[in-house]
């Protein structure tokens, strides 16, 4: 087998959500391309080191995975990121793969979840279908990771597209903030807040920053302001619609 697909994500130290999201996406890809070897890589060095320490598993970064492929005789490589935006982690994939352009006959990198306007429209439809159906007194607030990269505007663009619906998009590390979202929701008279991660995996951010009972979690933030909070601990990678969108991005580069 000389053709391979490298599925790349930030990674997670939570084995259960890793299986439900990252592994689920890999299985969909393998089923669509049975004649390709499917490899895995993570972009987070911290996650890779913690998995090694806690589980004894060796997960490569992009460069290490590509080095392995060259040693195993792979000639065509198609990299499909499972990242949400074209941010810093996506840039890392591009930079690490550049050094291997001459090592393969073909080396292409697919797009993350949100790239084209059509991607945004489809993700909006998914969110409304999953989280926009809880009644007139309810709203759903999705937590994106956010970014210090200029691509942080992707989250604001999606939230703008969701204006006027029962679903809103905030970020734990950039704009839009939970304070801004709550201020706007307060004016609508909603009483119930459904919280869910807008992340590939329901890992550390979802468990701690979003849904824990800690003082600085979003759950606590809304509860202290009188809302009833309903948690949804589901990573985007669990949804067939999201898996299908990643698969389409991969199809675009394989042709």
């Amino acid at each position: 087998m000389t053709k391979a697909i490298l599925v790349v994500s930030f990674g997670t130290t939570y084995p259960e959500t890793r299986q439900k999201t990252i592994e689920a996406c890999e299985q969909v890809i393998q089923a669509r391309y049975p004649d390709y070897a499917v490899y895995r890589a993570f972009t987070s060095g911290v996650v890779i080191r913690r998995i090694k320490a806690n589980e004894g598993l060796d997960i490569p970064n992009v460069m290490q995975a590509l080095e392995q492929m060259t040693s195993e005789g792979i000639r065509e490589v198609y990299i499909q990121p499972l990242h949400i935006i074209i941010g810093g982690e996506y840039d890392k994939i591009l930079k690490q793969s550049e050094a291997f352009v001459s090592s393969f006959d073909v080396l292409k990198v697919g797009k993350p979840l949100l790239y084209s306007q059509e991607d945004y429209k489809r993700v909006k439809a998914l969110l409304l279908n999953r989280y926009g159906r809880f009644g007139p007194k309810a709203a759903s607030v999705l937590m994106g990771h956010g970014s210090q990269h200029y691509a942080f505007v992707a989250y604001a663009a999606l939230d703008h597209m969701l204006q006027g619906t029962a679903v809103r998009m905030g970020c734990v590390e950039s704009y839009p903030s939970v304070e801004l979202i709550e201020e706007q929701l307060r004016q609508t008279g909603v009483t119930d807040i459904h919280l869910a991660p807008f992340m590939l995996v329901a890992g550390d951010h979802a468990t701690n920053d979003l849904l824990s009972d800690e003082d600085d979690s979003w759950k606590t933030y809304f509860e202290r302001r009188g809302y009833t909070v309903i948690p949804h601990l589901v990573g985007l990678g669990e949804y067939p619609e999201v898996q299908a969108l990643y698969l389409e991005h991969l199809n675009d580069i394989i042709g």
Side-chain angles (χ1 to χ4, degrees):
M1 191 174 292
T2 60
K3 297 184 292 185
I5 297 165
L6 178 59
V7 183
V8 185
S9 63
F10 181 84
T12 178
T13 58
Y14 287 65
E16 183 177 345
T17 191
R18 191 188 311 147
Q19 181 180 10
K20 291 179 179 179
T21 56
I22 296 171
E23 188 173 323
C25 290
E26 292 168 346
Q27 289 173 346
V28 167
I29 288 170
Q30 184 68 85
R32 172 63 178 82
Y33 291 100
D35 296 331
Y36 289 67
V38 175
Y39 293 73
R40 172 188 294 179
F42 291 169
T43 56
S44 171
V46 172
V47 169
I48 289 172
R49 289 191 295 272
R50 288 180 179 174
I51 291 175
K52 175 62 175 177
N54 297 332
E55 302 177 50
L57 298 177
D58 290 304
I59 308 293
N61 61 28
V62 172
M63 292 186 70
Q64 291 166 338
L66 291 174
E67 287 170 355
Q68 180 184 349
M69 290 183 195
T70 60
S71 68
E72 294 178 357
I74 299 298
R75 300 309 308 157
E76 294 183 24
V77 179
Y78 302 90
I79 301 176
Q80 180 52 50
L82 300 184
H83 297 78
I84 305 299
I85 64 172
I86 298 187
E89 297 300 311
Y90 185 83
D91 286 348
K92 191 184 297 184
I93 296 173
L94 297 180
K95 185 175 181 179
Q96 291 186 357
S97 62
E98 275 180 4
F100 290 85
V101 170
S102 61
S103 300
F104 302 100
D105 297 333
V106 177
L107 179 59
K108 295 183 179 181
V109 182
K111 296 299 188 291
L113 186 69
L114 295 175
Y115 177 72
S116 68
Q117 185 175 351
E118 184 61 29
D119 293 339
Y120 282 79
K121 289 179 180 178
R122 289 176 61 176
V123 171
K124 174 187 175 181
L126 156 69
L127 297 181
L128 292 178
N129 180 55
R130 297 281 182 173
Y131 295 108
R133 51 183 173 78
F134 300 123
K137 288 294 185 179
S140 295
V141 179
L142 284 295
M143 174 191 271
H145 187 280
S147 177
Q148 301 308 307
H149 190 278
Y150 61 81
F152 82 92
V153 296
Y155 297 99
L158 185 56
D159 182 61
H160 181 75
M161 294 175 71
L162 290 164
Q163 293 282 345
T165 75
V167 181
R168 299 301 306 275
M169 173 66 56
C171 290
V172 65
E173 293 189 4
S174 61
Y175 181 89
S177 68
V178 66
E179 292 84 5
L180 175 62
I181 299 297
E182 191 278 326
E183 180 183 349
Q184 294 172 349
L185 289 176
R186 192 188 320 150
Q187 301 171 18
T188 69
V190 302
T191 58
D192 298 346
I193 300 292
H194 292 256
L195 291 179
F198 185 74
M199 302 172 185
L200 177 72
V201 302
D204 188 64
H205 282 300
T207 302
N208 297 311
D209 298 318
L210 183 64
L211 298 174
S212 75
D213 293 322
E214 297 297 321
D215 288 342
D216 58 351
S217 77
W218 285 20
K219 175 177 178 287
T220 300
Y221 181 86
F222 281 105
E223 286 178 340
R224 285 179 175 170
R225 285 156 181 77
Y227 298 94
T228 298
V229 175
I230 301 93
H232 300 266
L233 193 61
V234 183
L236 292 175
E238 296 186 41
Y239 292 130
E241 304 97 317
V242 169
Q243 297 167 9
L245 193 46
Y246 283 128
L247 186 59
E248 287 189 22
H249 288 322
L250 177 60
N251 293 343
D252 288 342
I253 59 173
I254 291 181

